[in-house]
Amino acid sequence: MAIVLFDGECHFCDASVQFIIKRDPQAYFHFASLQSEVGQELLARYNVPPTDSIVLIENERYYLRSTAALKIARHLQGGWRFAYILIAVPATIRNIAYNIIAKNRYNWFGKKEVCELPSPDVRKRFL
């Protein structure tokens, strides 16, 4: 099991979580928002530096930004797992595009005012 921490107020981040869920039939990933009590506890437990980025917690380690996204992609169905080859590109280079999207995500995709209730099957994957 791995845990994905995401910005619970971001439409793009929510869409990313839905994307992962649809391509993760084995339910390897579980989710919590960065803003939630569980999310804050996990950030503290793993000594994650202050971030508004996606965080992957896997095998007792945390990963941020593009590294987290690529490690997530590695477990998804379909051709997405092949994106993991980009891990060979230095993170400073990979994170340039990631940081541009992250910096502008509220302007481009908006901010959520209300949370949707997922189906019971999906709901049990949220911590």
Side-chain angles (χ1 to χ4, degrees), residues 2-3 6 10 12-13 15-16 20 66 92 110 121-122:
I3 301 169
F6 64 98
C10 167
F12 180 74
C13 304
S16 297
I20 294 166
S66 66
T92 53
D121 285 347
V122 172

Side-chain angles (χ1 to χ4, degrees), residues 90-108:
T92 53
I93 295 171
R94 289 193 323 260
N95 285 334
I96 291 171
Y98 184 95
N99 290 338
I100 290 169
I101 294 169
K103 181 180 176 184
N104 294 291
R105 69 185 184 270
Y106 292 141
N107 292 333
W108 294 346

Side-chain angles (χ1 to χ4, degrees), residues 5-10 13-14 33-35 52-53 105-106:
L5 302 177
F6 64 98
D7 180 349
E9 298 176 341
C10 167
C13 304
D14 181 62
S33 77
L34 289 165
Q35 297 87 351
D52 63 353
S53 168
R105 69 185 184 270
Y106 292 141

